[in-house]
Amino acid sequence: MKADISQDVWIERAQKVLPAGGFGNFDPNIVIREGRGARVWDENGKVYVDYLIGSGPMMLGHGNPEVLEAAQEQLGKGLTFFASNARGIELAEEICRAVACAEQVRFVSTGGEADMYAMRLARAHTGRDKILKFEGGYHGMSAEALMSLAPTRLENFPLAVPDSAGIPQSVRDHMLIAPFNDIDFLRGLIAEHAGEIAAVIVEPLQRLIPPAPGFLQALREETEKHGIVLVFDEVVTGFRLAYGGAQEHYGVTPDLCTLGKVIGGGFPLAAIAGKSGIMAHFDKAKVGEGGFTFQVGTLSGNPVAAVAGLKTMEVLSRPGSYERIRQNGETVMNALREHLSAAGIAHQIVGDPVLFDVVFTPDPVVDYRGFQRGDMDRLKRFNMLMREQGVLKPDSKFYISLALTEDDLALTQEAIAHTAKHLTES
Ligand SMILES: Cc1ncc(COP(=O)(O)O)c(C=O)c1O
């Protein structure tokens, strides 16, 4: 593919008008021009097999013809209305059919917003202030979510460490931080603060780290016992680990969940979904002035996003879709194991076949600190070598799409073989 303006020129232009030269999301030294299927092209025309997939939404790959057709049909009928619209209502209905905890749905535009409102709903519902989150858990960019998200300074639990400037001390005082997968610590912490905790918010599969056997069940038991709202952040796992998300995959039903990424089909759309008794706090007529959680958003329930999400979900729900995605992931996981082991490089493949990464450590990874003990410089070099070989991935993830072809997987396997061979060279 021919490029008109070289990538270097775009990078230079970006440096003038964008802080840190980019959108704040990803390495600003790559500017993506186009995506088709499981491949993307940069502004120099270099092609990559894409494991970034827009940070997760493009689970069918780029330019899926059915999604495009649905979105295009809607484009002709109107881009956004603010008012309720049939497509958004259909999407809410499908979420309620698919997701175990979902009796009602409220749409927002981003996953981070959904998480912020889920925590607020829990506070409104319980009349308590404290939120328990897990170290390293990602729940968007609200002040609460930025506590102990990616701390470089490790504090004693349950003290929270802010990961951003600009957050008042008072927020920190309302947070309790626990290590993921530590059932005993969790039980102790909840017992100590039971009457003060509004919500426990958790990524059921935290970044890449699967829940230990019994961990989510213990969370469910403890929160139920103490009237604490259990929130599963399913922004990543929703419609990805299974059609019904992590709650279907692991067989544990929370009180609320948050959804994003897949349900917008590549457009900005996210949701809070959950039990109607808690969702009622969005309805002043039901809960009165005192319990009302104020929530509006210009683009909430946007019809173009809704049809793209619905079509994406329909394709995923067809027989064989998840099996195929899992097979694609296993092919990549096996190649990583095989070639890194052959090169004598200590590593763990952490995650699930639909999303995972390599962590360069000899020890099993069960929590954030275990992940941090991995060799980050080696991971950076791994990502760089993979990119040189034509594989684009996030800093610490492979996101697997349905669009990967045998050619894409073969290219990925070759890139892994090459990278493993050259990884330890300086
Ligand atoms: C688990 C999780 N929650 C919430 C979010 C925030 O979603 P958004 O970027 O749409 O605000 C993300 C984003 O990657 C996420 O991974």
Side-chain angles (χ1 to χ4, degrees), residues 55 110-113 115 138-140 203 207 233 235-236 261 397:
S55 192
T110 69
E113 264 180 281
D115 287 327
Y138 189 99
H139 308 294
E203 290 183 83
R207 312 316 297 140
D233 181 334
V235 170
V236 166
K261 302 202 190 258
K397 226 172 241 179

Side-chain angles (χ1 to χ4, degrees), residues 148-171:
S148 298
L149 156 60
T152 44
R153 183 169 54 84
L154 298 177
E155 276 286 359
N156 289 335
F157 297 111
L159 205 65
V161 181
D163 281 302
S164 169
I167 300 178
Q169 171 76 28
S170 56
V171 177

Side-chain angles (χ1 to χ4, degrees), residues 195-209:
E196 304 163 278
I197 303 174
V200 174
I201 187 165
V202 64
E203 290 183 83
L205 176 139
Q206 185 173 292
R207 312 316 297 140
L208 305 168
I209 307 168

